Amino acid sequence: MAADINNLSAAERAKAAVDDLYDYRDHYLERNGLEKAAQKPQDVQQKMNEILQLLEELKDGIKNKAEFCMLKGKVLNVQSHYDSQAEECLSKAIKLDPKLVEAWNNLGECYWKKGEIPSAKNCFTGALTHSKNKFSLRSLSMVLRQLSGSPAERAKLTEESVEKAREAVQLDITDGESWLILGNAYLSMFFMVGQNPKFLKQAMSAYSQAEKDTVTKNNADLHFNRAMAYKYQEEYQLALEGFNLAARLDPSWSEPTEQENKLMVFLTNVTELMDAKGKIKGKRLQTMVQSPRESDLGPYKGGSYTSHSGKTVKLERCTLSRLKTELNAEKVVVGRVVCSIPSDDPVPFTFCLIDEEETCVPVNVYNLAQGSGVKIGDTVAVPEPYLQLVKVNHRDKSFEYQSIRVDTPVVLVVNGRKLGLDKQAPTVLTVSAISD
């Protein structure tokens, strides 16, 4: 190997050293183990300093000054934080050679770290005018989703983001980073454009492909973003494991631990308030568990209702204890609200429903407009309720209970009246902005 290096030109040695630096960074956890994750930034910094010193030694032998500036800027850009010297070197490289695609890509990444999203977009678009490459395409995909605009404009940008990520994957179907960004694009698409379950399924499929890459499987963003999707699906065990792994992969990133803690608090609050029937006792509780009136069912009374498509749907009222852990077709349950669950996250809105048998079940309502939640004492009817089992064992704590999931509030009947479209709002999900 030493003989091979000695036979290389200064420019070739410099490029090989820079490639080695990025290989060191990308495969660090794979080679050193998760226990050294906290040490990674310092070790990469040390390696970076060594390569910078080597570049200075090779500088006079590199005739192409644009390439030298690009290589130096790329070295300075290796860490996750913005570096002004990296921006300076890369800008100079592009001035010297406007067709240097790698300089455009790295400068775009610099601007991204700096928070100058439109400038980052211009760089990646500029790179693509010279060469169609996966780095520019996937970077453009994540940048498009961060641009501001009206809801309609952002929806269009998200659709374009998916297309760019798909193009990147098609150029190299083995690249996990491209699959990760495609997964993030589909996840954003799910929440931005109609919440079609197909998009969520495509996001999860892309994340599975990303995990096959030895580099990407150690990417904290992958596990964080997938955990957010698991949380939305109420697969809380997998969500907690994902947040926990993301935190261990990147100990300097606080958000995974914050999300993990929030979810544990949420599960604790749900089980405690459910078991305590909202902490309502005595005569007030007895009033709440009286048999509901027919009028409490609103349009669902009489054994059937007419859907938006004009189809007649049969509905049989049943108690909460008779529900099966699945979609309970042609059934409707009705009860009184005994509490809402405090949570830092607006999605979902969770309350506990109690019926005449004193069965108490939490109900998670998604896409509810701000300030439109139900109040203690309200009567709520839920048609064709989807009941699922929550079973979690995490950090020496166990939770096990059944809950009802409601994907849109407009199916609910509150105090005898069906909720209108004004009570519905689009869900907003946090998707990691580190690689997304």
Side-chain angles (χ1 to χ4, degrees):
M1 180 64 72
D4 291 339
I5 291 175
N6 290 333
N7 290 332
L8 296 176
S9 68
E12 290 170 332
R13 287 182 62 192
K15 186 181 183 308
V18 175
D19 289 344
D20 184 55
L21 169 64
Y22 274 77
D23 181 81
Y24 179 81
R25 181 197 69 178
D26 294 342
H27 293 274
Y28 183 90
L29 292 177
E30 182 186 344
R31 292 164 181 162
N32 293 280
L34 197 56
E35 62 277 3
K36 289 199 71 177
Q39 185 65 30
K40 179 180 175 180
Q42 294 93 315
D43 286 350
V44 172
Q45 183 70 34
Q46 183 178 338
K47 181 84 169 174
M48 183 191 93
N49 292 336
E50 292 171 3
I51 303 302
L52 283 174
Q53 185 176 342
L54 177 63
L55 285 181
E56 288 302 316
E57 293 171 3
L58 295 171
K59 182 178 180 179
D60 293 339
I62 302 174
K63 295 179 182 179
N64 188 328
K65 297 308 174 187
E67 186 178 1
F68 174 80
C69 289
M70 186 276 293
L71 289 172
K72 185 175 180 180
K74 189 175 178 181
V75 172
L76 291 163
N77 200 35
V78 73
Q79 295 280 33
S80 60
H81 57 264
Y82 166 74
D83 187 292
S84 59
Q85 281 185 285
E87 181 186 342
E88 186 180 335
C89 289
L90 294 164
S91 298
K92 187 175 180 181
I94 289 168
K95 286 178 183 177
L96 291 168
D97 183 358
K99 294 183 180 180
L100 203 53
V101 170
E102 200 169 0
W104 280 112
N105 282 334
N106 275 273
L107 183 60
E109 195 174 45
C110 246
Y111 283 133
W112 169 258
K113 294 173 186 176
K114 195 179 181 181
E116 295 184 1
I117 307 303
S119 296
K121 176 180 178 290
N122 290 339
C123 287
F124 299 129
T125 304
L128 287 168
T129 62
H130 300 297
S131 171
K132 187 175 181 179
N133 64 95
K134 63 183 181 183
F135 190 100
S136 300
L137 286 165
R138 69 190 186 207
S139 298
L140 188 56
S141 170
M142 66 182 188
V143 164
L144 288 168
R145 280 176 277 126
Q146 298 300 317
L147 292 171
S148 57
S150 67
E153 288 169 338
R154 294 197 66 205
K156 187 175 180 180
L157 288 168
T158 303
E159 290 178 6
E160 188 180 347
S161 165
V162 170
E163 288 307 310
K164 297 302 179 187
R166 287 175 62 182
E167 285 183 54
V169 166
Q170 287 165 4
L171 288 177
D172 182 359
I173 61 170
T174 66
D175 190 291
E177 184 72 13
S178 297
W179 279 111
L180 168 57
I181 290 174
L182 178 59
N184 293 345
Y186 275 130
L187 192 59
S188 296
M189 188 82 163
F190 174 76
F191 289 101
M192 187 65 67
V193 188
Q195 296 189 34
N196 188 330
K198 176 183 75 173
F199 295 134
L200 194 59
K201 184 177 179 180
Q202 288 171 314
M204 289 305 203
S205 176
Y207 289 146
S208 294
Q209 290 294 331
E211 201 169 23
K212 293 177 182 178
D213 187 307
T214 56
V215 174
T216 315
K217 76 174 182 180
N218 288 320
N219 188 320
D221 300 338
L222 165 64
H223 300 284
F224 177 85
N225 291 338
R226 186 164 57 182
M228 292 300 293
Y230 280 139
K231 180 183 172 184
Y232 179 85
Q233 292 177 310
E234 297 184 22
E235 295 186 53
Y236 297 132
Q237 180 72 44
L238 292 173
L240 288 164
E241 290 170 0
F243 290 138
N244 184 268
L245 179 54
R248 287 185 290 132
L249 286 166
D250 188 353
S252 66
W253 188 20
S254 62
E255 194 169 0
T257 299
E258 290 169 6
Q259 288 291 340
E260 183 185 2
N261 291 338
K262 277 184 186 178
L263 186 48
M264 290 294 285
V265 169
F266 172 78
L267 292 169
T268 300
N269 288 337
V270 167
T271 51
E272 288 180 353
L273 286 168
M274 179 189 66
D275 292 341
K277 296 180 172 61
K279 298 184 179 179
I280 292 176
K281 299 176 182 177
K283 291 183 179 179
R284 192 179 184 196
L285 181 63
Q286 291 309 308
T287 300
M288 286 187 168
V289 298
Q290 289 177 1
S291 295
R293 298 166 297 180
E294 187 76 4
S295 61
D296 291 331
L297 290 167
Y300 301 139
K301 65 184 178 183
S304 66
Y305 80 101
T306 304
S307 69
H308 290 300
S309 61
K311 181 182 177 183
T312 299
V313 179
K314 292 182 180 180
L315 282 180
E316 173 196 356
R317 193 179 82 80
C318 72
T319 57
L320 292 166
S321 64
R322 286 175 54 202
L323 294 178
K324 296 179 180 179
T325 310
E326 58 186 31
L327 177 65
N328 290 265
E330 300 186 352
K331 305 289 183 186
V332 60
V333 293
V334 62
R336 300 285 287 275
V337 178
V338 291
C339 68
S340 59
I341 308 299
S343 174
D344 291 334
D345 290 328
V347 182
F349 177 83
T350 304
F351 64 91
C352 287
L353 193 69
I354 196 167
D355 67 6
E356 65 264 41
E357 294 180 346
E358 294 196 30
T359 302
C360 190
V361 172
V363 180
N364 296 323
V365 184
Y366 293 82
N367 305 316
L368 189 67
Q370 192 77 20
S372 298
V374 295
K375 305 183 299 293
I376 293 174
D378 283 348
T379 303
V380 178
V382 185
E384 302 193 315
Y386 180 72
L387 188 75
Q388 52 191 10
L389 175 65
V390 173
K391 195 171 183 179
V392 172
N393 192 332
H394 187 70
R395 291 199 320 212
D396 299 324
K397 285 191 176 183
S398 295
F399 306 95
E400 186 169 349
Y401 62 89
Q402 290 180 312
S403 67
I404 293 173
R405 180 190 179 99
V406 179
D407 285 322
T408 173
V410 298
V411 302
L412 298 177
V413 170
V414 179
N415 298 326
R417 299 184 66 181
K418 199 162 183 286
L419 295 184
L421 285 172
D422 61 311
K423 302 298 183 184
Q424 180 167 293
T427 302
V428 177
L429 183 79
T430 300
V431 179
S432 163
I434 290 181
S435 75
D436 177 278

PDB file of all heavy atoms in Angstrom, residues 15-31:
ATOM      1  N   LYS A  15      -6.727  13.414  -2.661  1.00  0.00           N
ATOM      2  CA  LYS A  15      -8.084  12.897  -2.817  1.00  0.00           C
ATOM      3  C   LYS A  15      -8.268  11.598  -2.035  1.00  0.00           C
ATOM      4  O   LYS A  15      -9.307  11.388  -1.385  1.00  0.00           O
ATOM      5  CB  LYS A  15      -8.390  12.658  -4.294  1.00  0.00           C
ATOM      6  CG  LYS A  15      -9.844  12.252  -4.545  1.00  0.00           C
ATOM      7  CD  LYS A  15     -10.119  12.004  -6.009  1.00  0.00           C
ATOM      8  CE  LYS A  15     -11.589  11.674  -6.238  1.00  0.00           C
ATOM      9  NZ  LYS A  15     -12.099  10.577  -5.384  1.00  0.00           N
ATOM     10  N   ALA A  16      -7.256  10.723  -2.079  1.00  0.00           N
ATOM     11  CA  ALA A  16      -7.336   9.456  -1.342  1.00  0.00           C
ATOM     12  C   ALA A  16      -7.437   9.707   0.163  1.00  0.00           C
ATOM     13  O   ALA A  16      -8.181   9.020   0.877  1.00  0.00           O
ATOM     14  CB  ALA A  16      -6.119   8.591  -1.655  1.00  0.00           C
ATOM     15  N   ALA A  17      -6.713  10.704   0.648  1.00  0.00           N
ATOM     16  CA  ALA A  17      -6.734  11.031   2.078  1.00  0.00           C
ATOM     17  C   ALA A  17      -8.102  11.570   2.490  1.00  0.00           C
ATOM     18  O   ALA A  17      -8.624  11.227   3.560  1.00  0.00           O
ATOM     19  CB  ALA A  17      -5.655  12.051   2.401  1.00  0.00           C
ATOM     20  N   VAL A  18      -8.713  12.402   1.641  1.00  0.00           N
ATOM     21  CA  VAL A  18     -10.036  12.955   1.944  1.00  0.00           C
ATOM     22  C   VAL A  18     -11.090  11.843   1.926  1.00  0.00           C
ATOM     23  O   VAL A  18     -11.963  11.778   2.794  1.00  0.00           O
ATOM     24  CB  VAL A  18     -10.404  14.086   0.956  1.00  0.00           C
ATOM     25  CG1 VAL A  18     -11.829  14.571   1.204  1.00  0.00           C
ATOM     26  CG2 VAL A  18      -9.422  15.243   1.090  1.00  0.00           C
ATOM     27  N   ASP A  19     -10.979  10.963   0.938  1.00  0.00           N
ATOM     28  CA  ASP A  19     -11.905   9.816   0.884  1.00  0.00           C
ATOM     29  C   ASP A  19     -11.767   8.959   2.135  1.00  0.00           C
ATOM     30  O   ASP A  19     -12.760   8.462   2.682  1.00  0.00           O
ATOM     31  CB  ASP A  19     -11.632   8.967  -0.353  1.00  0.00           C
ATOM     32  CG  ASP A  19     -12.058   9.663  -1.645  1.00  0.00           C
ATOM     33  OD1 ASP A  19     -12.819  10.649  -1.556  1.00  0.00           O
ATOM     34  OD2 ASP A  19     -11.617   9.223  -2.728  1.00  0.00           O
ATOM     35  N   ASP A  20     -10.538   8.795   2.591  1.00  0.00           N
ATOM     36  CA  ASP A  20     -10.275   7.996   3.796  1.00  0.00           C
ATOM     37  C   ASP A  20     -10.898   8.649   5.032  1.00  0.00           C
ATOM     38  O   ASP A  20     -11.407   7.964   5.914  1.00  0.00           O
ATOM     39  CB  ASP A  20      -8.755   7.843   3.990  1.00  0.00           C
ATOM     40  CG  ASP A  20      -8.415   6.945   5.169  1.00  0.00           C
ATOM     41  OD1 ASP A  20      -8.902   5.797   5.199  1.00  0.00           O
ATOM     42  OD2 ASP A  20      -7.670   7.404   6.072  1.00  0.00           O
ATOM     43  N   LEU A  21     -10.867   9.975   5.084  1.00  0.00           N
ATOM     44  CA  LEU A  21     -11.476  10.702   6.208  1.00  0.00           C
ATOM     45  C   LEU A  21     -12.973  10.433   6.271  1.00  0.00           C
ATOM     46  O   LEU A  21     -13.526  10.146   7.351  1.00  0.00           O
ATOM     47  CB  LEU A  21     -11.218  12.201   6.050  1.00  0.00           C
ATOM     48  CG  LEU A  21     -11.993  13.135   6.996  1.00  0.00           C
ATOM     49  CD1 LEU A  21     -11.589  12.884   8.452  1.00  0.00           C
ATOM     50  CD2 LEU A  21     -11.778  14.594   6.608  1.00  0.00           C
ATOM     51  N   TYR A  22     -13.652  10.509   5.134  1.00  0.00           N
ATOM     52  CA  TYR A  22     -15.096  10.283   5.105  1.00  0.00           C
ATOM     53  C   TYR A  22     -15.432   8.818   5.384  1.00  0.00           C
ATOM     54  O   TYR A  22     -16.450   8.516   6.030  1.00  0.00           O
ATOM     55  CB  TYR A  22     -15.684  10.749   3.763  1.00  0.00           C
ATOM     56  CG  TYR A  22     -16.005  12.227   3.793  1.00  0.00           C
ATOM     57  CD1 TYR A  22     -15.004  13.194   3.676  1.00  0.00           C
ATOM     58  CD2 TYR A  22     -17.307  12.668   3.980  1.00  0.00           C
ATOM     59  CE1 TYR A  22     -15.290  14.555   3.737  1.00  0.00           C
ATOM     60  CE2 TYR A  22     -17.609  14.030   4.035  1.00  0.00           C
ATOM     61  CZ  TYR A  22     -16.595  14.963   3.911  1.00  0.00           C
ATOM     62  OH  TYR A  22     -16.888  16.311   3.992  1.00  0.00           O
ATOM     63  N   ASP A  23     -14.578   7.926   4.926  1.00  0.00           N
ATOM     64  CA  ASP A  23     -14.775   6.506   5.234  1.00  0.00           C
ATOM     65  C   ASP A  23     -14.634   6.268   6.741  1.00  0.00           C
ATOM     66  O   ASP A  23     -15.404   5.511   7.336  1.00  0.00           O
ATOM     67  CB  ASP A  23     -13.750   5.664   4.464  1.00  0.00           C
ATOM     68  CG  ASP A  23     -13.914   4.179   4.707  1.00  0.00           C
ATOM     69  OD1 ASP A  23     -14.783   3.570   4.067  1.00  0.00           O
ATOM     70  OD2 ASP A  23     -13.165   3.625   5.551  1.00  0.00           O
ATOM     71  N   TYR A  24     -13.670   6.961   7.335  1.00  0.00           N
ATOM     72  CA  TYR A  24     -13.453   6.853   8.791  1.00  0.00           C
ATOM     73  C   TYR A  24     -14.688   7.338   9.544  1.00  0.00           C
ATOM     74  O   TYR A  24     -15.149   6.692  10.488  1.00  0.00           O
ATOM     75  CB  TYR A  24     -12.227   7.684   9.172  1.00  0.00           C
ATOM     76  CG  TYR A  24     -11.903   7.696  10.655  1.00  0.00           C
ATOM     77  CD1 TYR A  24     -11.208   6.637  11.247  1.00  0.00           C
ATOM     78  CD2 TYR A  24     -12.291   8.767  11.461  1.00  0.00           C
ATOM     79  CE1 TYR A  24     -10.903   6.650  12.595  1.00  0.00           C
ATOM     80  CE2 TYR A  24     -11.985   8.782  12.822  1.00  0.00           C
ATOM     81  CZ  TYR A  24     -11.293   7.728  13.374  1.00  0.00           C
ATOM     82  OH  TYR A  24     -10.995   7.739  14.721  1.00  0.00           O
ATOM     83  N   ARG A  25     -15.240   8.475   9.113  1.00  0.00           N
ATOM     84  CA  ARG A  25     -16.434   9.024   9.768  1.00  0.00           C
ATOM     85  C   ARG A  25     -17.648   8.102   9.597  1.00  0.00           C
ATOM     86  O   ARG A  25     -18.357   7.785  10.560  1.00  0.00           O
ATOM     87  CB  ARG A  25     -16.757  10.394   9.174  1.00  0.00           C
ATOM     88  CG  ARG A  25     -17.978  11.063   9.802  1.00  0.00           C
ATOM     89  CD  ARG A  25     -18.518  12.186   8.933  1.00  0.00           C
ATOM     90  NE  ARG A  25     -19.114  11.679   7.690  1.00  0.00           N
ATOM     91  CZ  ARG A  25     -19.695  12.446   6.780  1.00  0.00           C
ATOM     92  NH1 ARG A  25     -19.732  13.767   6.956  1.00  0.00           N
ATOM     93  NH2 ARG A  25     -20.216  11.914   5.682  1.00  0.00           N
ATOM     94  N   ASP A  26     -17.881   7.671   8.358  1.00  0.00           N
ATOM     95  CA  ASP A  26     -19.090   6.914   8.059  1.00  0.00           C
ATOM     96  C   ASP A  26     -19.107   5.526   8.679  1.00  0.00           C
ATOM     97  O   ASP A  26     -20.177   5.016   9.023  1.00  0.00           O
ATOM     98  CB  ASP A  26     -19.268   6.811   6.541  1.00  0.00           C
ATOM     99  CG  ASP A  26     -19.529   8.163   5.889  1.00  0.00           C
ATOM    100  OD1 ASP A  26     -19.911   9.108   6.614  1.00  0.00           O
ATOM    101  OD2 ASP A  26     -19.337   8.282   4.665  1.00  0.00           O
ATOM    102  N   HIS A  27     -17.939   4.917   8.814  1.00  0.00           N
ATOM    103  CA  HIS A  27     -17.865   3.547   9.353  1.00  0.00           C
ATOM    104  C   HIS A  27     -17.378   3.521  10.810  1.00  0.00           C
ATOM    105  O   HIS A  27     -17.027   2.450  11.312  1.00  0.00           O
ATOM    106  CB  HIS A  27     -16.942   2.690   8.475  1.00  0.00           C
ATOM    107  CG  HIS A  27     -17.483   2.448   7.094  1.00  0.00           C
ATOM    108  ND1 HIS A  27     -18.341   1.416   6.810  1.00  0.00           N
ATOM    109  CD2 HIS A  27     -17.293   3.126   5.932  1.00  0.00           C
ATOM    110  CE1 HIS A  27     -18.649   1.452   5.523  1.00  0.00           C
ATOM    111  NE2 HIS A  27     -18.025   2.475   4.971  1.00  0.00           N
ATOM    112  N   TYR A  28     -17.348   4.681  11.458  1.00  0.00           N
ATOM    113  CA  TYR A  28     -16.780   4.772  12.811  1.00  0.00           C
ATOM    114  C   TYR A  28     -17.469   3.821  13.794  1.00  0.00           C
ATOM    115  O   TYR A  28     -16.792   3.039  14.486  1.00  0.00           O
ATOM    116  CB  TYR A  28     -16.878   6.212  13.318  1.00  0.00           C
ATOM    117  CG  TYR A  28     -16.250   6.413  14.688  1.00  0.00           C
ATOM    118  CD1 TYR A  28     -14.905   6.756  14.807  1.00  0.00           C
ATOM    119  CD2 TYR A  28     -16.980   6.230  15.852  1.00  0.00           C
ATOM    120  CE1 TYR A  28     -14.310   6.928  16.045  1.00  0.00           C
ATOM    121  CE2 TYR A  28     -16.403   6.386  17.109  1.00  0.00           C
ATOM    122  CZ  TYR A  28     -15.073   6.738  17.197  1.00  0.00           C
ATOM    123  OH  TYR A  28     -14.485   6.891  18.430  1.00  0.00           O
ATOM    124  N   LEU A  29     -18.787   3.866  13.863  1.00  0.00           N
ATOM    125  CA  LEU A  29     -19.506   3.032  14.840  1.00  0.00           C
ATOM    126  C   LEU A  29     -19.431   1.555  14.471  1.00  0.00           C
ATOM    127  O   LEU A  29     -19.356   0.694  15.351  1.00  0.00           O
ATOM    128  CB  LEU A  29     -20.961   3.482  14.941  1.00  0.00           C
ATOM    129  CG  LEU A  29     -21.172   4.866  15.566  1.00  0.00           C
ATOM    130  CD1 LEU A  29     -22.644   5.230  15.552  1.00  0.00           C
ATOM    131  CD2 LEU A  29     -20.641   4.901  16.995  1.00  0.00           C
ATOM    132  N   GLU A  30     -19.437   1.285  13.181  1.00  0.00           N
ATOM    133  CA  GLU A  30     -19.330  -0.096  12.710  1.00  0.00           C
ATOM    134  C   GLU A  30     -18.004  -0.717  13.174  1.00  0.00           C
ATOM    135  O   GLU A  30     -17.949  -1.893  13.547  1.00  0.00           O
ATOM    136  CB  GLU A  30     -19.419  -0.088  11.184  1.00  0.00           C
ATOM    137  CG  GLU A  30     -19.369  -1.438  10.514  1.00  0.00           C
ATOM    138  CD  GLU A  30     -19.315  -1.304   9.012  1.00  0.00           C
ATOM    139  OE1 GLU A  30     -19.620  -0.212   8.480  1.00  0.00           O
ATOM    140  OE2 GLU A  30     -18.946  -2.297   8.355  1.00  0.00           O
ATOM    141  N   ARG A  31     -16.935   0.095  13.179  1.00  0.00           N
ATOM    142  CA  ARG A  31     -15.604  -0.422  13.518  1.00  0.00           C
ATOM    143  C   ARG A  31     -15.258  -0.280  14.997  1.00  0.00           C
ATOM    144  O   ARG A  31     -14.429  -1.025  15.512  1.00  0.00           O
ATOM    145  CB  ARG A  31     -14.556   0.318  12.675  1.00  0.00           C
ATOM    146  CG  ARG A  31     -14.646  -0.017  11.189  1.00  0.00           C
ATOM    147  CD  ARG A  31     -13.884   0.974  10.332  1.00  0.00           C
ATOM    148  NE  ARG A  31     -14.005   0.662   8.911  1.00  0.00           N
ATOM    149  CZ  ARG A  31     -13.741   1.515   7.934  1.00  0.00           C
ATOM    150  NH1 ARG A  31     -13.342   2.754   8.220  1.00  0.00           N
ATOM    151  NH2 ARG A  31     -13.880   1.153   6.672  1.00  0.00           N
TER     152      ARG A  31
END
